[in-house]
Amino acid sequence: MNSALITFTTLSFVSANDLKLNNIISTLEKATFFFENTYDRLNLDGVVGFRLLQAQLEDALKRWSLSGPEAASQYTKVDDLVRRLDLIMVKAIKAIKANDPVYFNAFQQILHTNFWSLNPGWTQTDTKLVYPVLRAAECFGEDISDRCMTELLGTWEDNGVPCLETGTCRRLMRTLNCPDYSLSHQLLYFIIAEHKRCSNIVGAQHKESKASLVIQGYKKIFCSNMMKRNLEIEDNDFPFYLQDLFLENVMLCGLVGFSDFYKAQWLEPIVMWQQADGCFGKPDESASPPMKEQHEFTEHKRVKRRDRQLKDGCSSHMTAVAVGALGGYLRFSGTS
């Protein structure tokens, strides 16, 4: 390969990466504008998505490794996003505390940026860990999921002890072959356990270092199966009623370091799902699944955390997982 061709190839690569980053940043700017205008109408889970976005952007700025012609401008835009998010977060947290004090007290810890510790290393999922068969329905519901997580957080009662694990939670959070939101919530459970240093949840006989290895093993099992689910959703042309689950899987598994969730071919559809006002949600009636299919999914499979539907079909939860996923794409693209 001659020097001219090498130069052309390098410039093409840089331009493609710049284009991708600019697209991500533009999408996040629109989403942040939406947050600034609706912060008092989002529920806690919705605000958590923007807090996770902030944590990922701050980490990206600390480890920014780009040096192309647009790198300085991109860095400045990301820094501006962090400043905007930090300012509006104060108001958003105050609004949640007033609007839903019980839920706020239970989960306020996950509203802190330092809760979302980010590993600088990256790994890949493993197809050998994919379940041969899945259960026909979710393994548990939202109420049980919330209860198990508050036991780890220590907010299950006033002055509760953290890292508590009842027999029910121990069994459900380790149940294999769970589908969809049960699966992603099992992963979230272990993320919380890791942050709280709950080495007891993998057995009192384990020292903290060994407990960490056990938790990493669960993460790899869960994310390998979440990858399989996302590939199925992609093969089915991303039906609207599965987009929220798809985004939650990208957000959570990317968060714990599985870089294969940041596939280039997934970025374009994710960006296209954003609505004109910056939110994510139901675009129109024609995008809905048939009524029977939608009913079955809602009644028998859906176990995602609380949602709040806003005007024009905007979803608090879907917007949260979308910005969380895109923050991960930017962090991976800007620091790899």
Side-chain angles (χ1 to χ4, degrees):
M1 185 181 290
N2 61 42
S3 59
L5 185 55
I6 292 174
T7 301
F8 175 78
T9 302
T10 303
L11 288 174
S12 297
F13 172 76
V14 171
S15 297
N17 194 51
D18 281 343
L19 182 62
K20 177 174 68 174
L21 270 174
N22 289 340
N23 207 10
I24 295 171
I25 292 170
S26 176
T27 304
L28 290 175
E29 286 174 334
K30 294 175 186 175
T32 300
F33 180 77
F34 171 80
F35 183 36
E36 289 169 331
N37 285 283
T38 60
Y39 70 88
D40 56 342
R41 282 168 274 166
L42 298 183
N43 63 3
L44 184 140
D45 291 351
V47 175
V48 166
F50 282 96
R51 182 59 104 182
L52 175 56
L53 167 63
Q54 181 183 348
Q56 293 182 109
L57 297 185
E58 288 177 348
D59 185 73
L61 291 175
K62 290 176 184 175
R63 299 189 297 109
W64 196 260
S65 62
L66 301 182
S67 57
E70 295 193 45
S73 173
Q74 291 164 345
Y75 183 96
T76 299
K77 289 178 180 178
V78 173
D79 186 60
D80 181 62
L81 278 173
V82 169
R83 294 174 188 276
R84 289 168 60 189
L85 288 167
D86 196 47
L87 286 173
I88 201 63
M89 193 61 65
V90 176
K91 297 179 181 179
I93 292 175
K94 184 177 180 180
I96 295 167
K97 187 175 182 179
N99 297 335
D100 196 353
V102 174
Y103 201 62
F104 174 81
N105 289 334
F107 288 99
Q108 62 173 305
Q109 292 178 42
I110 66 176
L111 284 166
H112 299 288
T113 50
N114 62 4
F115 183 90
W116 303 102
S117 55
L118 301 168
N119 192 320
W122 299 101
T123 187
Q124 301 276 309
T125 56
D126 187 349
T127 56
K128 295 191 294 294
L129 298 175
V130 170
Y131 302 142
V133 63
L134 290 176
R135 295 170 185 263
E138 296 280 9
C139 294
F140 49 85
E142 181 183 43
D143 290 343
I144 293 177
S145 176
D146 281 356
R147 173 68 185 193
C148 292
M149 292 180 192
T150 56
E151 287 176 359
L152 292 183
L153 292 168
T155 57
W156 50 281
E157 66 177 14
D158 291 340
N159 301 313
V161 178
C163 296
L164 175 69
E165 187 177 52
T166 59
T168 297
C169 294
R170 171 173 288 276
R171 175 177 57 83
L172 290 177
M173 295 303 164
R174 291 160 180 75
T175 298
L176 301 182
N177 307 101
C178 290
D180 296 348
Y181 288 105
S182 305
L183 182 58
S184 64
H185 286 205
Q186 287 176 317
L187 174 61
L188 181 56
Y189 181 83
F190 278 92
I191 292 173
I192 293 174
E194 185 173 45
H195 174 81
K196 298 294 289 186
R197 299 183 180 275
C198 300
S199 58
N200 60 295
I201 75 160
V202 291
Q205 73 275 20
H206 294 304
K207 294 182 178 179
E208 186 171 324
S209 58
K210 190 171 183 181
S212 178
L213 291 175
V214 174
I215 289 176
Q216 298 312 312
Y218 276 113
K219 287 180 182 178
K220 194 154 193 172
I221 291 172
F222 297 147
C223 284
S224 295
N225 284 279
M226 291 158 75
M227 171 59 74
K228 178 178 181 291
R229 186 58 169 133
N230 271 24
L231 291 172
E232 291 172 347
I233 294 171
E234 179 185 20
D235 288 343
N236 199 28
D237 294 328
F238 304 103
F240 169 72
Y241 73 104
L242 290 174
Q243 290 173 10
D244 183 278
L245 174 65
F246 178 89
L247 290 166
E248 181 164 304
N249 289 348
V250 174
M251 178 186 76
L252 290 176
C253 288
L255 175 68
V256 296
F258 290 94
S259 60
D260 46 338
F261 276 82
Y262 298 132
K263 297 186 185 300
Q265 74 267 23
W266 288 355
L267 181 59
E268 183 177 355
I270 291 173
V271 169
M272 289 178 62
W273 297 339
Q274 187 177 42
Q275 298 188 33
D277 59 1
C279 76
F280 290 75
K282 188 175 181 179
D284 55 56
E285 291 300 322
S286 63
S288 302
M291 187 59 66
K292 181 175 183 294
E293 180 182 37
Q294 187 178 41
H295 173 77
E296 288 177 351
F297 180 67
T298 301
E299 296 299 322
H300 302 297
K301 294 203 126 185
R302 199 168 196 174
V303 69
K304 75 180 175 66
R305 297 180 56 73
R306 289 185 178 186
D307 194 12
R308 177 175 294 171
Q309 294 298 318
L310 307 172
K311 67 176 183 177
D312 299 325
C314 293
S315 162
S316 182
H317 187 272
M318 186 171 172
T319 301
V321 291
V323 298
L326 288 168
Y329 263 98
L330 188 145
R331 174 175 170 255
F332 178 67
S333 302
T335 62
S336 299

